[in-house]
Amino acid sequence: QVRLEESGGGSVQRGGSLRLSCAVSGSTFSSSTMGWFQQAQGKDREFVAISWIDGSRHYADSAKGRFSISRDNAKNTLYLDMNNLKPEDTAVYYCAASAPWSRAGIRSRDFTSWGQGTQVTVSS
């Protein structure tokens, strides 16, 4: 059974930084597409960033230039470095894993396993 556990959320002021981590167990992490999504209160879950197994990455327009997704295959851990945070980044952030060797896209339905989420709150 695949298990994902996020950590690193918190409350920061505008312009601050946070690093989210997602520890993955019970799966072949290195062969899974990994992604970060956000869900603000009252809104649908939205794509933030994706890391494919070939090393390529892609970001939502709102995250480009501010967020960076990375993965440590030796530690089975996914990261999201968030800089220059804005109040509109306030949301619960979820990490997600695709089935091994599947070329997942940026849609939430492309991912088969999810963490419980970590809250990020940015005040002005």
Short mmCIF file of all heavy atoms in Angstrom, two decimals, residues 12 18 29 47 70:
data_model
loop_
_atom_site.label_atom_id
_atom_site.label_comp_id
_atom_site.label_asym_id
_atom_site.label_seq_id
_atom_site.Cartn_x
_atom_site.Cartn_y
_atom_site.Cartn_z
N VAL A 12 3.02 32.01 7.18
CA VAL A 12 4.09 32.96 6.88
C VAL A 12 3.47 34.26 6.40
O VAL A 12 2.29 34.31 6.03
CB VAL A 12 5.07 32.43 5.80
CG1 VAL A 12 5.78 31.18 6.29
CG2 VAL A 12 4.34 32.17 4.49
N LEU A 18 8.59 28.72 2.27
CA LEU A 18 8.35 27.45 2.94
C LEU A 18 8.88 26.33 2.07
O LEU A 18 8.92 26.45 0.84
CB LEU A 18 6.86 27.21 3.19
CG LEU A 18 6.17 27.99 4.31
CD1 LEU A 18 4.66 27.75 4.26
CD2 LEU A 18 6.72 27.60 5.66
N PHE A 29 9.05 4.70 -5.78
CA PHE A 29 9.02 6.16 -5.91
C PHE A 29 9.72 6.62 -7.17
O PHE A 29 9.21 7.48 -7.89
CB PHE A 29 9.68 6.77 -4.67
CG PHE A 29 9.80 8.26 -4.69
CD1 PHE A 29 8.73 9.07 -4.35
CD2 PHE A 29 11.00 8.88 -5.02
CE1 PHE A 29 8.84 10.45 -4.35
CE2 PHE A 29 11.13 10.26 -5.03
CZ PHE A 29 10.04 11.04 -4.69
N PHE A 47 -3.76 22.02 -9.92
CA PHE A 47 -2.38 21.63 -10.18
C PHE A 47 -1.42 22.74 -9.79
O PHE A 47 -1.68 23.91 -10.05
CB PHE A 47 -2.23 21.28 -11.66
CG PHE A 47 -0.81 21.19 -12.13
CD1 PHE A 47 -0.03 20.10 -11.81
CD2 PHE A 47 -0.25 22.21 -12.89
CE1 PHE A 47 1.28 20.02 -12.24
CE2 PHE A 47 1.04 22.15 -13.33
CZ PHE A 47 1.82 21.05 -13.01
N SER A 70 11.22 19.25 -6.57
CA SER A 70 12.39 18.40 -6.69
C SER A 70 12.10 17.07 -6.00
O SER A 70 11.16 16.96 -5.22
CB SER A 70 13.63 19.07 -6.07
OG SER A 70 13.43 19.35 -4.70
#
